[in-house]
Amino acid sequence: MSEENKNPNSENYGANNIQALEGLEAVRMRPGMYIGSTDAKGLHHLVWEVVDNSIDEHLAGYCTQIDVFIHPDNSITVKDNGRGIPTGIQDKLKKSALEIVMTVLHAGGKFDKDTYKVSGGLHGVGVSCVNALSSYLRAEVHREGKIFEQEYSIGKPLAPVHEIGISDKNGTIVTFKPDATIFESTVYEFDVLAKRLKELAFLNKGLYLQLTDEREVDEETKEFRSIKYHSEGGLVEFVQYLDNSRTALLEKPIHISGKEENVEIEVALTYNTGYQENIFSFVNNINTREGGTHVAGFRRALTRVFKQYGDDNGLFTKAKVNIASDDFREGLTAIVSVKVPEPQFKGQTKGELGNSEVTGIVSRAVGDVLKFFLEENPNQAKRIVEKVILAATARQAAEKAREMVQRKSVLTGSGLPGKLSDCSSKDPSISEVFLVEGDSAGGTAKQGRDRNFQAILPLRGKILNVEKAMEHKIYENEEIKNIFTALGVSIQVVDGERVLNMEKLRYHKVVIMCDADVDGSHITTLILTFFFRYMKPLIEGGYLYIAAPPLYRVAKGKEFRYCWNDDERKDAVENYSKGKENDTSVKIQRYKGLGEMNAEQLWETTMDPTTRILRKVNADNAIEADHTFSMLMGDEVPPRREFIEENAKYAKIDA
Ligand code: 0RA
């Protein structure tokens, strides 16, 4: 780009570049086609559509700060200090470029191949879609010393673009209110927005991001709830953050950056003493959950360079084990981020990069730096190689242990664990299994259940912490073996990778049922960690749930009510005492554990599909989930308890 073009005041960008393509009516007719869905996900997607444009301004070198506001009525403002959307009159349509960007589909206007775009990436449909799906939108542009404004309703301008003042700054401020007739829910979640903004801060080092929630005022400071994100270290800080409760094997993460054929590469990687592989990948700031050619290139380089290094130094022959490529990735945490001018996305959820040229480019860049690192840092190299050898040994032990479990379950006929009280139904789609904490609660659940479709599997006390255990230990653990065989799933090795075979899954609802106290939350988290690490497809399939037993029973005489939180309890007490203070005939029973309920109570509060509350577990944000589980179950103890208690309160009710 020439210097002249970089001047935000120049009209060189040319309002002419913006093409008119499609009407916004189509977007309102079929919103799902454009933003994926009209549920909470689609609602939040609107924010990313606008923020992505601001990020593009950052990538182009103009924007240093992005502020997002959630207003009390759940409208949103995104403010940036980029160049500002051009406002000049476009020759062809005889309209302001701003109006065209806001009202014409795919008129982002930035068809410059030298710059990378986030917008127009995965779902990228442009800000005009946000406009079409908003009952009200206002765009304010600071550019060329002036302030311009235009307002819209369901995508239609209420007046032409006009000047409303002067300004010595550049930037764009977009405020929109999602159309309540289109979205199932119009309530924004602070945490959802915060998580992605945090990720964007790591991915775009130097950029300042801030989220302010005007719906919530801090009681002490009297200020709005607000959070700021900024990272100078970028991806290096990102992997350090991900591994902050694990024990590092390297002094600091290895950082790789390079550019070839217009593809920009940035990678940060480190090793920890744990057993998990955590590679997260991005293309133009978009999380590629299914990986793709960039991840393939990264893995290829890792295997090639370490194998060469081990062979050259005779390290593997000495150890007398066969090394598989998996072994090079045990305890690895890495972020692979590429910027590709014209990314092709494929795969089920379009979360996989397809551009084949990227594999070689990433592989070369990563290989060169890694090779250099190993040569320069023999001590750290040795630590990694030792870890790889350990991984290979453990993998072979795990394969044996797994075979044993899986073969045994075939040999013993039905193969079902003795502890399982199965249901009569053999139809997985209507069958449920409750994983219950402790034998005694298990007994109550067994009495209380509807045996037609509800099975009970009691689990003894604390189950193994899989975050800290080696894989073979997991298959040797009695409780975990029972879970595998009861559910009817198995782990198989396909092309050297472990995959979960769910073809014979026996229940479409797997419900974790633990006490409603801190210990119970801890056990729930242990079980969740196990599912997250070893049965993720079960979570992704939407089969995993958490039961919510009530916390209180408030009674007066023969009348009573169950309460799931303090507000409900207060309501119930007020109701029964009818304003009378200290009414001693109102009795509050606090349930500390499932054991305090009898079978009938457990059924009506927690197991009866018509009255119970089940929370569906989802793994939407794998990055955040990984960090959470490593924090809860990993090496550093202190942050845990607090976190569990905090999150017990905020857990979402889904089903
Ligand atoms: C069209 C062209 C240019 C920038 C933008 C749109 C733009 C859109 C948004 C949406 C939110 N913030 C934004 N910032 C910029 C290029 C501008 C130029 O070449 O001067």
Side-chain angles (χ1 to χ4, degrees):
M1 200 182 274
S2 73
E3 274 312 303
E4 195 183 8
N5 266 347
K6 282 204 172 188
N7 177 359
N9 293 332
S10 96
E11 270 301 286
N12 261 12
Y13 157 71
N16 291 321
N17 287 358
I18 294 167
Q19 313 169 353
L21 288 170
E22 255 180 77
L24 292 191
E25 262 317 293
V27 181
R28 290 184 61 82
M29 299 262 285
R30 293 180 155 180
M33 291 246 309
Y34 295 87
I35 54 158
S37 65
T38 54
D39 57 10
K41 216 168 176 174
L43 181 77
H44 289 80
H45 191 96
L46 298 182
V47 180
W48 308 132
E49 232 17 277
V50 184
V51 168
D52 282 356
N53 279 279
S54 307
I55 295 277
D56 282 348
E57 287 295 288
H58 170 74
L59 291 177
Y62 300 99
C63 168
T64 56
Q65 166 114 30
I66 303 172
D67 293 280
V68 178
F69 299 87
I70 312 170
H71 301 299
D73 65 348
N74 276 289
S75 61
I76 295 281
T77 292
V78 178
K79 177 179 173 201
D80 69 49
N81 63 353
R83 283 168 292 187
I85 303 176
T87 54
I89 300 294
Q90 199 226 30
D91 298 348
K92 225 190 310 172
L93 293 178
K94 305 264 183 298
K95 278 182 185 163
S96 163
L98 170 60
E99 178 167 334
I100 294 165
V101 167
M102 297 310 304
T103 59
V104 180
L105 211 51
H106 303 301
K110 295 170 282 178
F111 298 114
D112 185 349
K113 280 208 182 151
D114 293 337
T115 58
Y116 309 110
K117 293 176 289 288
V118 193
S119 56
L122 190 52
H123 282 115
V125 280
V127 270
S128 60
C129 276
V130 179
N131 198 7
L133 300 174
S134 296
S135 54
Y136 171 79
L137 186 143
R138 177 176 180 272
E140 180 178 316
V141 171
H142 293 232
R143 205 178 149 100
E144 293 155 40
K146 294 175 182 150
I147 307 173
F148 301 88
E149 178 204 68
Q150 190 167 37
E151 292 172 293
Y152 318 79
S153 177
I154 57 166
K156 298 188 182 95
L158 298 175
V161 172
H162 52 277
E163 276 180 45
I164 55 166
I166 57 168
S167 174
D168 55 2
K169 298 193 177 67
N170 290 313
T172 305
I173 305 166
V174 175
T175 298
F176 63 92
K177 179 148 177 60
D179 189 338
T181 66
I182 298 231
F183 292 95
E184 290 157 34
S185 152
T186 48
V187 180
Y188 276 101
E189 267 184 64
F190 184 90
D191 289 343
V192 172
L193 297 180
K195 274 175 192 165
R196 170 69 176 153
L197 291 176
K198 175 157 79 185
E199 193 174 281
L200 284 171
F202 284 130
L203 290 166
N204 298 282
K205 58 176 158 230
L207 178 63
Y208 288 86
L209 297 138
Q210 179 161 13
L211 173 64
T212 304
D213 189 343
E214 297 175 351
R215 300 167 304 183
E216 251 186 85
V217 180
D218 187 302
E219 288 191 7
E220 268 167 44
T221 64
K222 303 276 179 252
E223 278 172 32
F224 292 132
R225 181 178 186 190
S226 176
I227 192 155
K228 287 181 191 172
Y229 296 111
H230 169 81
S231 167
E232 280 304 328
L235 295 193
V236 167
E237 266 176 35
F238 202 165
V239 295
Q240 280 170 333
Y241 162 75
L242 286 171
D243 267 10
N244 64 4
S245 16
R246 298 182 172 119
T247 308
L249 220 55
L250 303 184
E251 283 155 28
K252 60 173 196 289
I254 303 170
H255 184 240
I256 298 149
S257 69
K259 186 171 177 170
E260 193 183 320
E261 290 174 44
N262 263 334
V263 176
E264 251 185 65
I265 304 144
E266 195 186 349
V267 175
L269 70 116
T270 189
Y271 280 90
N272 59 65
T273 56
Y275 310 108
Q276 305 299 329
E277 166 188 339
N278 280 309
I279 303 177
F280 298 115
S281 64
F282 295 86
V283 174
N284 300 356
N285 281 323
I286 299 161
N287 186 196
T288 33
R289 284 163 209 267
E290 298 168 72
T293 49
H294 51 332
V295 177
F298 172 71
R299 290 181 166 196
R300 188 185 288 179
L302 209 69
T303 307
R304 183 182 73 238
V305 172
F306 277 124
K307 196 154 186 356
Q308 188 70 47
Y309 182 83
D311 286 345
D312 286 354
N313 297 286
L315 298 168
F316 298 139
T317 41
K318 222 167 42 194
K320 297 197 181 75
V321 279
N322 287 324
I323 313 278
S325 58
D326 264 12
D327 302 330
F328 294 105
R329 300 192 299 267
E330 211 181 87
L332 170 75
T333 298
I335 311 274
V336 178
S337 170
V338 295
K339 305 265 166 63
V340 183
E342 283 178 280
Q344 307 295 319
F345 292 102
K346 48 179 214 175
Q348 261 186 347
T349 56
K350 293 263 174 268
E352 182 184 347
L353 182 67
N355 303 48
S356 56
E357 72 279 8
V358 175
T359 303
I361 297 176
V362 174
S363 175
R364 272 189 294 281
V366 173
D368 288 350
V369 175
L370 217 52
K371 209 170 145 209
F372 184 76
F373 175 87
L374 296 179
E375 278 157 14
E376 294 289 300
N377 301 279
N379 286 331
Q380 296 187 68
K382 190 162 157 254
R383 252 180 264 162
I384 299 176
V385 170
E386 279 167 2
K387 166 99 187 152
V388 171
I389 292 169
L390 193 68
T393 318
R395 179 178 45 79
Q396 281 160 13
E399 271 158 28
K400 277 204 199 95
R402 197 165 53 225
E403 267 170 36
M404 290 279 281
V405 180
Q406 291 173 0
R407 191 175 323 133
K408 211 163 109 202
S409 66
V410 176
L411 289 178
T412 53
S414 84
L416 294 174
K419 278 185 153 197
L420 175 75
S421 305
D422 206 7
C423 53
S424 335
S425 163
K426 294 285 167 262
D427 176 1
S429 71
I430 59 159
S431 302
E432 314 179 343
V433 61
F434 286 79
L435 309 181
V436 188
E437 168 190 353
D439 287 329
S440 105
T444 316
K446 195 178 155 185
Q447 284 174 355
R449 69 175 171 154
D450 182 336
R451 61 179 309 143
N452 287 317
F453 67 99
Q454 293 182 318
I456 308 295
L457 180 67
L459 299 174
R460 174 177 38 95
K462 305 243 155 168
I463 83 159
L464 185 73
N465 180 351
V466 303
E467 200 66 29
K468 283 179 156 178
M470 288 182 74
E471 199 179 342
H472 69 98
K473 286 275 178 224
I474 288 161
Y475 303 113
E476 286 161 9
N477 179 275
E478 213 47 53
E479 310 304 309
I480 288 177
K481 277 199 279 194
N482 285 345
I483 296 178
F484 269 104
T485 42
L487 299 194
V489 300
S490 58
I491 292 181
Q492 288 166 354
V493 179
V494 177
D495 294 334
E497 298 221 12
R498 303 163 181 77
V499 289
L500 186 72
N501 182 341
M502 295 204 297
E503 273 165 37
K504 300 210 175 84
L505 178 64
R506 304 178 62 249
Y507 315 93
H508 281 188
K509 281 203 169 76
V510 177
V511 186
I512 303 171
M513 187 159 74
C514 293
D515 289 342
D517 60 2
V518 171
D519 262 357
S521 318
H522 189 222
I523 294 166
T524 302
T525 315
L526 280 167
I527 303 175
L528 275 177
T529 311
F530 161 71
F531 277 99
F532 182 73
R533 296 295 183 204
Y534 289 90
M535 293 198 184
K536 189 124 152 250
L538 204 108
I539 300 180
E540 287 162 347
Y543 300 123
L544 190 62
Y545 296 83
I546 300 172
L551 290 181
Y552 306 99
R553 183 177 188 269
V554 180
K556 179 169 176 156
K558 282 206 170 100
E559 274 188 85
F560 64 89
R561 208 184 281 177
Y562 296 109
C563 305
W564 274 263
N565 56 47
D566 291 329
D567 285 342
E568 287 179 6
R569 187 204 61 206
K570 280 182 206 143
D571 264 7
V573 172
E574 226 163 85
N575 222 292
Y576 283 138
S577 54
K578 305 220 163 56
K580 204 166 105 198
E581 253 177 72
N582 294 327
D583 187 341
T584 47
S585 65
V586 178
K587 302 263 183 285
I588 305 173
Q589 185 187 354
R590 162 95 169 91
Y591 290 122
K592 286 184 213 72
L594 299 168
E596 293 176 32
M597 277 184 266
N598 63 33
E600 193 190 337
Q601 289 170 329
L602 191 60
W603 162 256
E604 46 182 41
T605 59
T606 316
M607 299 177 75
D608 177 357
T610 61
T611 51
R612 71 187 176 191
I613 297 172
L614 285 189
R615 300 181 345 232
K616 194 182 209 152
V617 178
N618 72 57
D620 264 0
N621 194 329
I623 300 174
E624 207 47 46
D626 166 67
H627 179 251
T628 306
F629 285 128
S630 74
M631 174 178 84
L632 294 176
M633 297 297 146
D635 303 331
E636 304 275 335
V637 185
R640 268 182 229 165
R641 203 180 185 92
E642 233 173 275
F643 180 89
I644 294 173
E645 284 167 15
E646 273 291 297
N647 279 267
K649 283 189 298 207
Y650 291 110
K652 250 189 312 194
I653 293 166
D654 237 274

